[in-house]
Amino acid sequence: SYLFLLQGVEYVFGIVGFPVIELGMAMQQAGLKYIGMRNEQAACYAAQAIGYLTKKPGVCLVVSGPGLLNVCSGMANAQVNCWPLLVIGGSVNQDQEAIGGFQEYPQVEMSRPYCKYAARPPNAFLIPTHVEKAVRLATYGRPGACYLDFPGNILQGRVDSERVVKTYIHPEPPIAFPNSTLVSAAAKLLKNAKRPLVIIGKGAAYAGAEVHLRQLIHQTNLPFIATPMGKGVVPDTARQCVASARTLALQKADVILLLGARLNWILHFGRAPRFDENVKVIQVDLEPEEMHNSIRSEIAIQSDLLPFSDVFVDEMSKLKYRLDESEPWWKELNEKCTKNRVTVNEMALNISVPLNYYAVFQHLREKIPSDSIIVSEGANTMVSMVNS
């Protein structure tokens, strides 16, 4: 349990039972914050959420068989969404495998499709090696899920501490800095655009690039929209936010600065007719395999968003670039935003039967403080926003 603390882990979520009862107790004795849950699936989602918020993998502790089966959706979600997560599963004693051990299941094999790393330490001496590697892989590069399988006989065994393989505490994840030549080329391409647009994605939020990107938007007066997980990096209340004209902005932009967002279904894969078929995309992403994934980007820059946004602000300053409000592009966007707001406001004031949800939300918005956290059914909320 102390090994997890050494590697920077702070939180554990789960349901204890055979054979991880003692492990759950030992984790708490070692100083880890353990949160007991009612269902393994909820525990897995909670663990990956804390991983996203802290950039350190949350641990999900589950029992063998059904316990691990209940976290499959959570592991897949963490892997696809790039959230750091470490699942620890108890499993059948090694001397009872293949003869009907308690809740026996091929857990490592089952977990592997949903993880960056899935393994079972062959003995207690090698547990530190696997813990270090699992935590490291969950956070390095594009974050994701890892799984470690602990048979009951290993968890309950005793070993000579002198024989335990010593492991190191890995350093913080390395930061990828952008190619300066590509940054200059990106700045010039954006400067010469007639209808530029910035799209802020989850990668920008995870990188903590709020200060630099707010400066970039304020300094350049570039219009922007955000993906669902990129919202808040630059506030929706910023004058340059054109979420009210999202469809128009995507369809007519000739150059798009794509910051830590994937051209998947949320952004209509970057393809016509939702995008201009000749749009030039400046793609900035931590993962090189993500480059040109749906369409060929004009400029693809592998970089963490924080160092990129820092140098890009300086690069745009050198060009003394600022998109004037009198430009036709801003006039078109502002007209569309105004028109759409008027339409929505009319629906919000319409209280005829059957009552539309705009009217309901209007009254809720008037009562709910601006700093509230609102939890809603995610799929409907996101689909409505994406299709707006």
Side-chain angles (χ1 to χ4, degrees):
S1 300
Y2 185 61
L3 295 170
F4 294 99
L5 276 176
L6 286 177
Q7 302 301 338
V9 173
E10 294 184 51
Y11 293 92
V12 182
F13 299 79
I15 300 177
V16 294
F18 182 80
V20 296
I21 298 173
E22 290 80 11
L23 177 57
M25 296 171 63
M27 284 178 162
Q28 296 174 71
Q29 290 172 348
L32 291 164
K33 301 177 180 70
Y34 180 86
I35 297 94
M37 307 290 281
R38 292 191 175 188
N39 181 272
E40 291 89 357
Q41 185 184 59
C44 193
Y45 279 103
Q48 62 192 265
I50 203 71
Y52 175 77
L53 293 171
T54 65
K55 300 184 182 180
K56 300 174 183 178
V59 171
C60 180
L61 180 66
V62 299
V63 300
S64 58
L68 183 63
L69 285 169
N70 284 342
V71 304
C72 287
S73 60
M75 285 195 289
N77 184 72
Q79 182 70 358
V80 173
N81 280 317
C82 315
W83 292 1
L85 167 72
L86 174 56
V87 175
I88 301 292
S91 62
V92 64
N93 288 2
Q94 290 167 307
D95 60 352
Q96 298 173 356
E97 283 188 311
I99 56 173
F102 176 67
Q103 296 185 168
E104 181 180 353
Y105 199 74
Q107 297 181 178
V108 176
E109 292 83 354
M110 183 206 73
S111 302
R112 189 163 284 126
Y114 314 119
C115 296
K116 294 178 71 176
Y117 178 67
R120 169 192 284 184
N123 54 58
F125 304 109
L126 291 173
I127 288 177
T129 299
H130 288 274
V131 168
E132 185 280 323
K133 185 172 184 179
V135 174
R136 173 163 44 90
L137 294 188
T139 53
Y140 273 36
R142 174 174 280 176
C146 290
Y147 173 69
L148 289 180
D149 194 72
F150 288 157
N153 60 297
I154 288 182
L155 288 176
Q156 296 164 13
R158 292 179 177 273
V159 296
D160 183 354
S161 61
E162 295 299 321
R163 294 182 59 197
V164 175
V165 176
K166 297 296 186 290
T167 189
Y168 59 88
I169 302 173
H170 56 258
E172 292 293 318
I175 296 176
F177 283 77
N179 182 307
S180 58
T181 301
L182 293 178
V183 172
S184 297
K188 292 175 183 177
L189 180 61
L190 199 61
K191 178 180 183 294
N192 293 324
K194 298 295 183 183
R195 299 180 301 279
L197 178 68
V198 178
I199 299 179
I200 300 173
K202 176 175 60 182
Y206 191 79
E210 294 90 349
V211 173
H212 295 308
L213 290 184
R214 292 179 188 188
Q215 182 181 352
L216 174 68
I217 296 300
H218 176 74
Q219 174 182 300
T220 61
N221 200 37
L222 285 166
F224 79 91
I225 61 173
T227 65
M229 289 294 292
K231 292 177 73 66
V233 174
V234 181
D236 285 356
T237 53
R239 188 168 48 83
Q240 295 83 1
C241 179
V242 292
S244 300
R246 182 182 188 275
T247 298
L248 174 70
L250 293 179
Q251 285 179 335
K252 293 197 173 184
D254 61 349
V255 175
I256 291 176
L257 177 61
L258 186 67
L259 300 174
R262 288 180 279 193
L263 290 175
N264 55 14
W265 70 276
I266 293 176
L267 291 173
H268 315 286
F269 309 102
R271 299 172 182 172
R274 298 304 294 265
F275 285 73
D276 188 301
E277 61 181 10
N278 297 313
V279 65
K280 296 179 179 178
V281 176
I282 303 166
Q283 186 178 14
V284 186
D285 201 282
L286 176 66
E287 189 74 15
E289 287 84 356
E290 187 61 35
M291 306 303 183
H292 318 292
N293 196 37
S294 180
I295 62 172
R296 185 185 183 281
S297 299
E298 187 73 14
I299 300 175
I301 303 174
Q302 182 199 2
S303 175
D304 282 83
L305 262 295
L306 188 59
F308 170 82
S309 57
D310 186 16
V311 298
F312 196 70
V313 166
D314 292 339
E315 198 66 31
M316 296 302 286
S317 295
K318 294 176 185 176
L319 297 176
K320 298 180 179 179
Y321 174 82
R322 181 175 175 82
L323 185 64
D324 196 273
E325 290 286 337
S326 62
E327 290 290 327
W329 179 228
W330 257 127
K331 287 183 178 180
E332 188 174 5
L333 289 170
N334 284 330
E335 287 173 3
K336 187 64 174 178
C337 285
T338 300
K339 180 180 178 181
N340 287 347
R341 288 186 187 119
V342 169
T343 301
V344 171
N345 188 56
E346 290 175 352
M347 291 188 288
L349 296 177
N350 181 1
I351 57 173
S352 61
V353 179
L355 191 66
N356 72 82
Y357 61 82
Y358 288 95
V360 177
F361 286 160
Q362 171 68 18
H363 290 287
L364 288 174
R365 186 176 67 176
E366 292 173 354
K367 298 295 183 181
I368 297 175
S370 60
D371 59 350
S372 298
I373 296 174
I374 301 172
V375 180
S376 179
E377 202 292 311
N380 291 338
T381 303
M382 187 161 61
V383 170
S384 296
M385 192 197 79
V386 168
N387 290 330
S388 64

